[in-house]
Amino acid sequence: MNINFNVCLLTFFLLFLTACQNKDPSKGLYQQQLFTFGTLIDISIVSDNSEQAKRAIDIISSEFDHLHTQWHPWKNGALGQLNKKFYDASSSSDTFTSPPSVIKLIQDSQLLSEQSNGLFNPAIGQLVKLWQFDQIENENYQFKIPDPEKIQQLLEKNPQMQDILINNEKITTNNAAIVLDFGAFAKGVAIEKMMSILKDQHIDNALINAGGDLKVLGSKNGKAWKIGIKNPAKTQNPSEKAIIAAIELNDNETLFTSGNYERFFEFQGKHYHHIIDPRTGYPAVGTQSVTVLTEDAALADAASTALFVAGPKLWAEIAKKMNVQYVMLISDDNKIYLTPAMAERIELLTDIKPVIVK
Ligand code: AMP
Ligand code: MG
């Protein structure tokens, strides 16, 4: 791909990173950046009605803030309170309640977890907490490999989403190790909600981009939304290109990437990252990034995490079980694996020849 195109893509990203609020009347493109849900979220709305766009963004902003607290595993919202009850439970007959939005997160992720053979497993909240990657932005953060015995104890207790039973909105579990962490799922569910808010506000053309996880509505002035996909190798080697591929998204399509560069720590020459293999209790090995394209952001979020853990050998089988057709996986040894459907659509900006896996 030529340099001009790369410059275009970079400009596209830089545009997102500039002014917090910007209305371009000639194109009717209204853009705003929010910091919410623990991340920067770029919203682009194609509309000549800036009042309408502003109103929609305000609603989205407060909804994202609300959901962030409600669905955070440790803050004092609905999920944090439920996790506390799980921790404090004295027996398996204890019964808990939680608001419908949390019940739905549990139920939807139970199905996806089962389809992924447990590789996407929000029930490993205790394991995730041991690794403390959520603390990485804290000033006093110090990386530590968790005590292997603690990891082993949790693995033996084998917390699974299927260990949670829901009956008439009452929650019970017979597994004392259950703690829920929806870090691999909540952003997808939230983006679906934001898109329905946009539709309710009569916005037909928009893009919501939460740090490279995104969904589009309609088009950008009649043209498909063109998206650049980050090159994971850039983290290790700054001379690498920033963008490894480009893809055009049509109305309602969503693109999610799980990458080993998102939250990580280099320690004694090893790269430790935030995506945990529930089979080993350690960061998943074999993958640098997985990109999934679907129409359902919740599915895309769960699947990108699951396929990351599945790695170069198992990903195609799990993708079929989860019903995702469009996948790109970049392995630790810099191979690019594509499903046939993804190979038809993606534009690779590298000389690496992809391996197409049926
Ligand atoms: P993502 O970036 O969507 O792949 O999600 C990663 C986040 O999900 C981590 O920061 C953890 O909070 C959580 N997580 C880590 N490993 C898993 C896993 N195997 N299944 C479900 N959630 C996970
Ligand atoms: Mg995910």
Side-chain angles (χ1 to χ4, degrees):
M1 204 20 64
N2 63 41
I3 292 168
N4 276 349
F5 183 71
N6 281 332
V7 170
C8 270
L9 274 172
L10 278 175
T11 314
F12 173 82
F13 272 93
L14 287 174
L15 254 181
F16 276 158
L17 294 171
T18 50
C20 275
Q21 209 174 5
N22 162 35
K23 187 186 171 243
D24 176 350
S26 62
K27 289 184 184 155
L29 184 64
Y30 192 90
Q31 295 182 306
Q32 189 165 335
Q33 192 168 67
L34 306 173
F35 184 81
T36 178
F37 225 72
T39 185
L40 278 175
I41 302 190
D42 293 292
I43 303 178
S44 303
I45 293 175
V46 184
S47 163
D48 281 325
N49 183 343
S50 63
E51 285 311 309
Q52 176 199 41
K54 258 193 215 158
R55 191 168 51 243
I57 290 171
D58 283 349
I59 300 172
I60 285 179
S61 173
S62 57
E63 184 69 10
F64 262 113
D65 284 346
H66 171 70
L67 293 180
H68 184 52
T69 313
Q70 285 296 91
W71 294 349
H72 194 284
W74 312 113
K75 286 188 196 287
N76 190 24
L79 184 63
Q81 286 163 15
L82 179 64
N83 277 337
K84 192 167 177 326
K85 290 180 202 159
F86 281 140
Y87 256 124
D88 297 344
S90 51
S91 86
S92 60
S93 59
D94 287 4
T95 300
F96 315 116
T97 55
S98 205
S101 87
V102 172
I103 302 255
K104 187 156 176 5
L105 270 188
I106 297 174
Q107 288 172 325
D108 290 351
S109 60
Q110 280 180 319
L111 180 67
L112 291 164
S113 185
E114 196 178 324
Q115 288 175 339
S116 76
N117 290 357
L119 300 182
F120 162 68
N121 184 0
I124 61 168
Q126 291 205 39
L127 207 45
V128 168
K129 188 141 175 73
L130 278 186
W131 282 95
Q132 294 204 316
F133 284 105
D134 59 323
Q135 300 296 320
I136 216 155
E137 276 119 30
N138 284 358
E139 235 177 88
N140 304 324
Y141 175 79
Q142 267 211 315
F143 178 80
K144 253 200 343 278
I145 297 174
D147 177 354
E149 245 176 63
K150 284 195 179 150
I151 292 182
Q152 199 49 39
Q153 280 164 10
L154 286 173
L155 287 186
E156 278 161 22
K157 290 180 185 158
N158 190 24
Q160 296 285 335
M161 289 308 292
Q162 277 59 35
D163 299 335
I164 302 174
L165 302 175
I166 298 178
N167 204 341
N168 290 328
E169 300 187 3
K170 298 267 183 254
I171 304 169
T172 52
T173 181
N174 51 13
N175 192 324
I178 294 273
V179 163
L180 295 171
D181 180 310
F182 289 111
F185 189 51
K187 202 198 276 178
V189 181
I191 286 185
E192 279 302 318
K193 271 188 183 279
M194 302 316 143
M195 283 300 174
S196 53
I197 291 174
L198 289 180
K199 285 184 196 160
D200 289 348
Q201 296 296 314
H202 309 291
I203 287 165
D204 303 321
N205 302 289
L207 182 155
I208 294 187
N209 183 355
D213 294 327
L214 48 97
K215 179 155 182 162
V216 307
L217 280 184
S219 62
K220 190 181 176 192
N221 294 321
K223 289 194 180 148
W225 294 94
K226 191 153 197 167
I227 310 296
I229 299 170
K230 271 190 193 159
N231 182 1
K234 175 95 183 158
T235 312
Q236 308 285 346
N237 181 358
S239 67
E240 287 275 351
K241 284 184 191 166
I243 305 291
I244 196 153
I247 194 159
E248 290 187 347
L249 296 190
N250 302 315
D251 183 29
N252 234 13
E253 287 187 329
T254 177
L255 193 75
F256 268 67
T257 299
S258 286
N260 68 356
Y261 50 83
E262 289 171 315
R263 283 185 166 177
F264 68 93
F265 203 84
E266 304 283 351
F267 184 69
Q268 297 177 343
K270 271 188 83 176
H271 183 94
Y272 294 88
H273 61 80
H274 71 312
I275 302 172
I276 308 299
D277 186 335
R279 299 165 300 185
T280 64
Y282 284 77
V285 292
T287 313
Q288 292 189 74
S289 72
V290 171
T291 301
V292 170
L293 185 160
T294 65
E295 289 205 345
D296 175 353
L299 168 63
D301 199 355
S304 63
T305 307
L307 302 183
F308 187 106
V309 178
K313 289 215 172 81
L314 202 58
W315 70 271
E317 182 188 329
I318 305 291
K320 282 189 192 115
K321 278 195 78 188
M322 297 186 86
N323 292 318
V324 294
Q325 270 195 313
Y326 297 93
V327 183
M328 171 169 76
L329 181 144
I330 304 179
S331 61
D332 273 351
D333 54 359
N334 290 314
K335 291 201 173 103
I336 299 182
Y337 296 88
L338 301 173
T339 53
M342 189 61 126
E344 296 246 314
R345 282 188 63 171
I346 202 160
E347 199 173 343
L348 292 178
L349 309 174
T350 160
D351 297 333
I352 301 171
K353 278 239 162 303
V355 182
I356 298 171
V357 183
K358 285 202 175 118

